[in-house]
Amino acid sequence: MAQASASIDSLGGLLESLVRKFHDEGESLYLVGGPVRDAFLGRLGNDLDFTTSARPDVVYRILEEWGETVWDMGIEFGTVSTVKAGQQIEITTFRADLYDGVTRNPEVTFGDTLVGDLVRRDFACNAIAVEFLLIDDQLSTTLHDPVNGLKDLFNGVLDTPQSPEVSFRDDPLRMLRAARFVSQLGFSVAPRVRQAMTDMAGEIQRITVERIQAELDKLMLGDAPWDGIDLLVETGIADYVLPEVSALRMTEDEHMQHKDVYRHSLTVLKQAVEKEDEGPDLVLRWAALLHDIGKPDTRAKKESGGVSFHHHEVVGAKLARKRLRALKYPKSTTQDIGQLVYLHMRFHGFGEGQWTDSAVRRYVNDAGELLPKLHKLVRADSTTRNPKKAARLQRTYDHLEDRIAEIAEKEDLASVRPDLDGNEIMQILDLKPGPDVGRAWGFMKELRLERGPLERDEAIAELRAWWESENRHE
């Protein structure tokens, strides 16, 4: 409590002049929602959300005088924003919206009371407000907690101010927000919230793909994304937004024994997060979660017993790209995640000490700029409980990284290109631009990967010999 008060009191110098302007207009001003919650959790950021009795035109007029820059893109919903001394400030008029139960877009209705505004919010821990007042010309604060959000906050529980069925029917996106807060805050959901999410999972289909993607990203970038994903899977919401992850919970039988691929994937995600060294890595995290989604479609019983998943990385890469496109992820993000899924098994095709120079070049070339992420993904993919096996896998990968460094000292592995470029190929073979040049360039690229850098005379001789062979076959 003291830490929260100190965090909020520290805003006094910035906000006193703003509070005075609202006071002079006869209007109230409250810090509300996430900033209040985060202040109590000791993580107050630079985005401050307020609610007020003032109507939007009054808010706009005040902020135009007080703020550095004003945005009114959300004014039809009662929201006006500004920036002041590095703080992003958003002020919204009390709301008392009505929902049609079909979309998540409410009929915007401005309210007259703080309580009416708070009870319509997603979770009780986000329905706490701090009122800024001028008493005897001194700035003061008062806490308002009409739905016992502080109790939930201190217990680390997500519960809704009103019944969860009503809350989720009004806005099904709140179910995804529950999973996001589980990931970000380490909270659990109240039993009645979990039950409502399970019963109403299909309602998530009312939400646009863009909104779903935004919430999934926030979930994946949280401190414990595996817990947020697990909540979505256990409640059935993932069946609609990430069905390939739900499908990892393959039914086991006595004839096709294999490790729990779903739990394995969550563990890989957790271990990948532990290997991050420059903050949350969205591409790595998605690749870790999705790396085995090709297994359900490739599972086959082996004659010797057990089960195999041949080429699951190829199938998985296709499924990952398809799902990410459906979620409207940027093309580059989709390609990078798909490529990591595709490459994650390449390492296991070689034993310790069996990496030829050619194999190393191809590994680095195929990974390209994704190589550091691939290193982390492959290492995270070791979830064996056998300490000797785990040590052997890590030692083998250490050896591969040593081989990469060893060859990189001799040649530029970061940008492996043919020893002859397209212009040189056309000149040597007397060709005009066209498919033949591309084929010749491809041959030289393969030669470069296989044998490393060649002297120019040797490269030219190899090119001419290949060209002669190609024409002789024709």
Side-chain angles (χ1 to χ4, degrees):
M1 179 75 79
Q3 185 180 34
S5 297
S7 297
I8 293 170
D9 289 345
S10 69
L11 300 173
L14 170 68
L15 298 177
E16 184 172 355
S17 59
L18 180 63
V19 174
R20 288 186 182 279
K21 288 185 177 295
F22 276 85
H23 181 267
D24 291 344
E25 294 282 350
E27 305 287 2
S28 54
L29 184 67
Y30 305 82
L31 185 67
V32 71
V36 178
R37 177 200 69 218
D38 291 344
F40 279 99
L41 295 175
R43 51 195 292 174
L44 182 64
N46 294 323
D47 293 337
L48 302 179
D49 296 335
F50 293 86
T51 189
T52 179
S53 57
R55 289 310 191 244
D57 58 326
V58 176
V59 177
Y60 185 89
R61 175 161 44 82
I62 291 174
L63 292 186
E64 197 172 32
E65 296 175 1
W66 181 81
E68 297 169 10
T69 304
V70 179
W71 296 274
D72 65 353
M73 290 178 292
I75 198 166
E76 64 179 302
F77 301 105
T79 300
V80 184
S81 306
T82 189
V83 63
K84 182 85 167 186
Q87 293 277 359
Q88 300 288 329
I89 293 173
E90 187 174 276
I91 303 179
T92 302
T93 301
F94 292 158
R95 296 265 293 267
D97 301 337
L98 299 174
Y99 291 84
D100 60 12
V102 177
T103 69
R104 70 176 295 267
N105 300 318
E107 177 186 336
V108 177
T109 304
F110 298 132
D112 297 311
T113 67
L114 173 67
V115 172
D117 181 88
L118 294 179
V119 298
R120 54 168 286 279
R121 293 177 179 265
D122 54 2
F123 299 104
C125 65
N126 294 331
I128 310 167
V130 174
E131 183 176 9
F132 287 86
L133 301 161
L134 285 175
I135 300 177
D136 296 331
D137 205 39
Q138 296 295 315
L139 187 65
S140 180
T141 58
T142 298
L143 187 71
H144 296 266
D145 183 19
V147 294
N148 294 317
L150 274 178
K151 179 181 177 182
D152 286 355
L153 187 61
F154 291 136
N155 289 331
V157 172
L158 292 169
D159 203 352
T160 50
Q162 47 193 337
S163 77
E165 290 80 8
V166 171
S167 182
F168 297 156
R169 188 173 299 111
D170 283 349
D171 184 1
L173 187 67
R174 290 169 174 169
M175 296 189 291
L176 272 182
R177 286 170 63 83
R180 188 241 290 188
F181 289 133
V182 165
S183 169
Q184 290 180 327
L185 306 176
F187 284 19
S188 61
V189 295
R192 67 172 191 158
V193 170
R194 178 183 287 270
Q195 187 61 54
M197 291 174 68
T198 303
D199 294 341
M200 302 176 68
E203 293 291 306
I204 201 65
Q205 296 174 97
R206 289 164 46 196
I207 304 301
T208 65
V209 169
E210 291 82 0
R211 290 280 188 174
I212 290 173
Q213 186 219 101
E215 285 299 321
L216 287 176
D217 274 357
K218 292 173 183 177
L219 183 161
M220 291 297 288
L221 292 172
D223 291 340
W226 48 91
D227 288 335
I229 291 295
D230 195 38
L231 178 61
L232 293 181
V233 171
E234 293 295 330
T235 57
I237 294 172
D239 294 349
Y240 299 95
V241 298
L242 289 172
E244 297 82 5
V245 175
S246 293
L248 291 173
R249 297 191 301 176
M250 292 178 280
T251 302
E252 305 209 20
D253 62 55
E254 59 180 329
H255 303 295
M256 299 179 70
Q257 294 295 321
H258 56 80
K259 72 169 69 174
D260 184 334
V261 180
Y262 172 64
R263 290 295 164 189
H264 163 76
S265 297
L266 294 186
T267 301
V268 173
L269 172 58
K270 183 176 183 179
Q271 293 184 168
V273 169
E274 292 170 353
K275 296 182 183 303
E276 293 173 339
D277 47 20
E278 297 182 357
D281 186 330
L282 187 65
V283 168
L284 174 63
R285 292 181 179 205
W286 271 118
L289 177 64
L290 303 179
H291 78 286
D292 273 349
I293 59 172
K295 281 191 171 180
D297 288 347
T298 57
R299 184 175 63 157
K301 181 182 177 183
K302 294 190 294 188
E303 291 185 5
S304 58
V307 63
S308 67
F309 302 99
H310 290 308
H311 303 303
H312 74 270
E313 71 278 13
V314 178
V315 174
K318 292 179 180 178
L319 290 174
R321 288 192 291 266
K322 182 178 180 181
R323 175 51 49 196
L324 293 168
R325 283 194 296 266
L327 289 169
K328 297 190 177 179
Y329 273 89
K331 184 176 180 180
S332 59
T333 302
T334 298
Q335 290 176 334
D336 286 350
I337 295 169
Q339 185 69 352
L340 286 171
V341 173
Y342 177 74
L343 292 174
H344 85 274
M345 288 297 293
R346 181 78 62 86
F347 158 73
H348 296 283
F350 296 86
E352 188 171 359
Q354 296 178 1
W355 282 84
T356 64
D357 288 359
S358 173
V360 172
R361 291 190 197 99
R362 293 178 188 279
Y363 192 79
V364 173
N365 181 74
D366 289 349
E369 295 181 353
L370 295 172
L371 185 62
K373 299 182 195 295
L374 183 59
H375 287 333
K376 294 171 185 174
L377 175 60
V378 174
R379 289 185 181 277
D381 193 23
S382 174
T383 62
T384 177
R385 296 180 181 179
N386 183 324
K388 290 185 178 180
K389 182 178 180 181
R392 185 175 69 253
L393 287 170
Q394 296 300 331
R395 185 173 62 249
T396 303
Y397 206 86
D398 288 342
H399 176 69
L400 170 58
E401 290 202 60
D402 289 342
R403 295 279 289 116
I404 291 172
E406 175 188 330
I407 296 176
E409 286 184 4
K410 304 174 185 176
E411 52 189 270
D412 184 8
L413 281 181
S415 56
V416 174
R417 299 183 62 80
D419 295 296
L420 302 172
D421 63 25
N423 289 327
E424 292 173 310
I425 289 171
M426 287 190 290
Q427 183 178 5
I428 293 166
L429 299 182
D430 192 25
L431 295 174
K432 294 181 179 180
D436 285 340
V437 179
R439 288 171 51 230
W441 190 92
F443 164 75
M444 295 303 297
K445 176 68 178 288
E446 284 296 311
L447 189 65
R448 172 68 174 80
L449 289 169
E450 185 66 30
R451 292 169 50 181
L454 301 178
E455 295 293 337
R456 180 174 175 79
D457 289 346
E458 185 178 4
I460 292 173
E462 291 287 352
L463 174 64
R464 285 176 169 160
W466 170 82
W467 182 243
E468 181 180 343
S469 173
E470 288 290 298
N471 288 325
R472 184 167 57 248
H473 289 157
E474 292 179 1

